[in-house]
Amino acid sequence: MSVEVERKFLFTADTLKTLEQIGVCIGQREFHDQYFDTPQFDLTLRDMWLRKRKGCWELKCATADVDDCKQPVKATSLCTRYKEITSLPDIHTKLREVIKEDKNLTLLENIETGHKRFPLEDESWLGAMNLICFSEFTTLRRSFTVEEQGVQIDLDQADFGYDVGEIEVLLSEAEDVAAAMGKIERTAQILGLTGDQKIEGKMSVFLRRYRPEHYEKLLNAHIL
Ligand code: V4E
């Protein structure tokens, strides 16, 4: 399991020029994302984001703000932190903690431990937990690294007409969030990102435009 610390920003042609001077372009790729939740929004109302990208499942969960008091206010308000779970059995375990399952579902039982799990060969677990796709879109992403800062910078263009950049540091759970926020803050300064407004991510814009009821619920719950 890793922790992703990131800050989003709006980019211009000038940002791109600076990035080409201070960083190295490590590639461009396109991917299609599908996000899932129950009709009652059991996951996203807990700030949990279940996604399928290029055939792989991922669950992003908000982390507890344990050491935010050590951070400058600006860094904590502009950066987000999410744990990323990518192993499907671990994703199922986490989902089963928060979603009531269909009582008629088929679970496989480990005879030695008595633990029950969903079959991994198909996606029947989605139906068993009443998970449906609420958002899907394609992103064109250009990625850069700035080695001196140890960060990755992604410039994303979503197919529904929203462009957003992100400065990102991936940590193992034991690593230092404060140091990651410092790297992000220094990179933001080099890129000339002076604003202290939190920038909307692709999902926030998608929901606001196409799923206003869901958006409203998340806004009222202070998730977005
Ligand atoms: C965590 C989250 C969502 C899941 C997708 O997160 P995000 O990093 O925005 O997407 P993407 O495509 O850049 O993923 P990556 O390729 O880096 O894995 S959707 C909404 N959230 C919550 C959230 C939030 N509350 N505030 C901000 C600024 N962003 C995301």
Side-chain angles (χ1 to χ4, degrees):
M1 199 179 324
S2 53
V3 174
E4 175 193 73
V5 187
E6 68 170 41
R7 171 177 167 173
K8 292 195 167 25
F9 62 94
L10 296 177
F11 60 91
T12 62
D14 281 346
T15 330
L16 187 56
K17 263 191 220 149
T18 313
L19 208 42
E20 283 166 345
Q21 285 161 5
I22 64 158
V24 176
C25 180
I26 54 168
Q28 173 169 309
R29 63 193 182 112
E30 198 172 75
F31 47 85
H32 186 75
D33 289 333
Q34 291 175 296
Y35 285 88
F36 294 79
D37 201 349
T38 65
Q40 301 75 35
F41 316 126
D42 288 297
L43 297 182
T44 52
L45 279 173
R46 290 179 170 86
D47 211 357
M48 294 170 73
W49 303 86
L50 176 65
R51 174 173 82 194
K52 190 179 187 184
R53 174 181 292 176
K54 289 186 180 272
C56 296
W57 288 96
E58 193 172 357
L59 183 66
K60 294 200 193 208
C61 307
T63 64
D65 297 343
V66 277
D67 53 4
D68 276 357
C69 51
K70 293 188 210 156
Q71 312 300 324
V73 174
K74 189 173 166 190
T76 47
S77 61
L78 297 182
C79 289
T80 57
R81 259 188 289 160
Y82 286 86
K83 259 187 210 170
E84 299 186 334
I85 308 175
T86 51
S87 132
L88 194 51
D90 291 349
I91 290 175
H92 287 169
T93 303
K94 191 79 189 165
L95 294 177
R96 291 175 70 188
E97 285 170 18
V98 296
I99 297 177
K100 285 188 207 76
E101 297 153 10
D102 175 351
K103 294 287 172 268
N104 300 318
L105 56 87
T106 314
L107 284 166
L108 303 178
E109 185 166 355
N110 180 320
I111 299 180
E112 281 166 26
T113 62
H115 285 149
K116 292 185 176 162
R117 66 164 177 84
F118 289 117
L120 300 173
E121 304 69 40
D122 58 38
E123 291 181 346
S124 55
W125 56 274
L126 284 173
M129 285 189 276
N130 207 8
L131 288 164
I132 49 175
C133 177
F134 66 90
S135 164
E136 60 181 310
F137 50 85
T138 298
T139 300
L140 177 65
R141 168 171 290 176
R142 275 169 296 171
S143 299
F144 298 80
T145 50
V146 182
E147 274 192 28
E148 303 81 70
Q149 302 301 333
V151 299
Q152 176 166 324
I153 298 170
D154 294 329
L155 302 184
D156 284 356
Q157 294 177 286
D159 63 353
F160 57 88
Y162 183 62
D163 296 353
V164 67
E166 61 190 33
I167 309 170
E168 176 178 306
V169 178
L170 263 191
L171 304 172
S172 71
E173 270 199 286
E175 284 177 299
D176 189 357
V177 174
M181 286 192 183
K183 289 175 186 178
I184 290 173
E185 182 62 27
R186 280 192 295 282
T187 309
Q189 280 171 11
I190 296 169
L191 288 176
L193 308 176
T194 49
D196 46 17
Q197 285 279 85
K198 194 164 179 170
I199 300 302
E200 281 187 297
K202 299 185 291 283
M203 179 58 72
S204 182
V205 174
F206 182 97
L207 293 175
R208 184 159 47 75
R209 285 188 195 167
Y210 308 113
R211 298 274 182 270
E213 188 208 338
H214 192 168
Y215 178 76
E216 201 61 31
K217 285 227 158 75
L218 296 181
L219 214 56
N220 290 339
H222 307 287
I223 303 293
L224 291 177

